């Protein structure tokens, strides 16, 4: 009986010592997280690099911070001489666009803006629809207000070509003239045939007329 108690106490003591040893042992070293990939470089593109005055186009931005506010600055300069035969003037006062919750979901079209502030989506992308009523070379600069990332692009805005005048078919007078000449020719042929027939009848009548 006494022996069993001694054995039981020894087993309990060994169990406690083992538990403390496990608890006091240093934790297994965990692998350090890998550093994230370099962030995507910011970029600014447009739906069409050359548009006509008054034509709506879309500005696309990528590579900005998730849900970041991005400021878009628009600068319109005169076109170089001889560019598509257009002469440009500087942009008028324009307006400042309201902040967009998510630009891709906004159908708003901004007319002659100078500055628009938009909010990028969770992946750092946004888009804005704009139009300008003056020709020129438009420079667009996007600046992330949190990350400081900057991207630029340009758009050429030209005057639209005037529509060609609508005229009738040029073949109509030619067909009418040809028809008139054909009719005149047929009439001349008929007159000539009739005259020759009449001349022949006169000649025969003279031959048949008795002499004396």
């Amino acid at each position: 009986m006494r022996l069993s108690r001694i054995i039981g106490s020894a087993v309990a003591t060994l169990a406690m010592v083992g538990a403390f040893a496990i608890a006091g042992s240093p934790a297994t070293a965990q692998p350090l997280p890998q550093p994230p990939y370099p962030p995507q470089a910011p970029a600014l593109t447009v739906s069409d690099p050359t548009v006509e005055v008054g034509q709506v186009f879309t500005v696309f931005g990528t590579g900005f911070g998730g849900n970041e506010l991005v400021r878009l600055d628009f600068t319109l300069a005169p076109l170089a001489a001889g560019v598509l035969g257009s002469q440009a003037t500087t942009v008028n006062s324009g307006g400042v666009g309201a902040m967009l919750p998510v630009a891709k979901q906004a159908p708003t079209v901004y007319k002659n803006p100078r500055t628009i502030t938009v909010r990028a989506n969770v992946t750092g992308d946004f888009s804005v629809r704009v139009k300008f009523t003056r020709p020129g070379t438009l420079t667009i600069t996007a600046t992330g207000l949190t990350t400081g990332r900057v991207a630029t692009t340009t758009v050429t805005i030209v005057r639209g070509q005037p529509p060609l005048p609508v005229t009738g078919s040029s073949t109509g007078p030619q067909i009418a003239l040809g028809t008139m000449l054909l009719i005149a020719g047929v009439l001349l042929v008929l007159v000539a045939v009739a005259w020759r027939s009449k001349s022949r009848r006169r000649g025969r009548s003279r031959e048949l007329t008795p002499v004396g």
Side-chain angles (χ1 to χ4, degrees):
M1 190 77 180
R2 232 169 139 181
L3 182 60
S4 62
R5 287 181 180 177
I6 294 173
I7 294 173
S9 297
V11 171
T13 302
L14 290 174
M16 291 178 64
V17 172
F20 282 120
I22 294 173
S25 63
T28 305
Q30 298 295 328
L32 295 176
Q34 295 295 325
Y37 288 101
Q40 178 184 0
L44 206 60
T45 57
V46 290
S47 56
D48 194 340
T50 302
V51 298
E52 293 184 356
V53 170
Q55 179 181 346
V56 178
F57 62 95
T58 306
V59 182
F60 301 97
T62 59
F64 292 85
N67 296 319
E68 180 182 24
L69 292 178
V70 180
R71 187 184 72 244
L72 296 173
D73 295 314
F74 300 84
T75 304
L76 188 63
L79 285 174
V83 177
L84 298 181
S86 302
Q87 294 181 351
T89 56
T90 55
V91 69
N92 60 11
S93 59
V96 177
M99 184 183 71
L100 304 179
V102 178
K104 285 188 175 180
Q105 299 176 358
T108 305
V109 176
Y110 294 94
K111 180 180 178 182
N112 297 328
R114 281 188 173 179
T115 300
I116 301 176
T117 302
V118 301
R119 184 180 294 278
N121 60 17
V122 293
T123 60
D125 303 335
F126 65 85
S127 65
V128 178
R129 302 177 67 203
V130 297
K131 68 176 180 180
F132 285 82
T133 58
R134 302 289 182 87
T137 299
L138 180 66
T139 301
I140 309 172
T141 303
T143 305
L145 300 183
T146 302
T147 61
R149 298 174 185 172
V150 178
T152 61
T153 190
T154 58
V155 179
T156 302
I157 304 173
V158 299
R159 296 188 187 277
Q161 298 296 327
L164 297 175
V166 179
T167 59
S169 174
S170 60
T171 59
Q174 296 178 0
I175 294 176
L177 179 60
T179 303
M180 292 176 63
L181 292 175
L182 179 61
I183 295 173
V186 172
L187 291 176
L188 289 175
V189 170
L190 292 176
V191 170
V193 171
W195 183 80
R196 291 182 65 181
S197 298
K198 187 176 181 180
S199 297
R200 288 178 181 177
R201 287 197 299 269
R202 286 180 179 178
R204 288 178 183 178
S205 63
R206 290 178 180 176
E207 292 177 357
L208 297 175
T209 302
V211 178

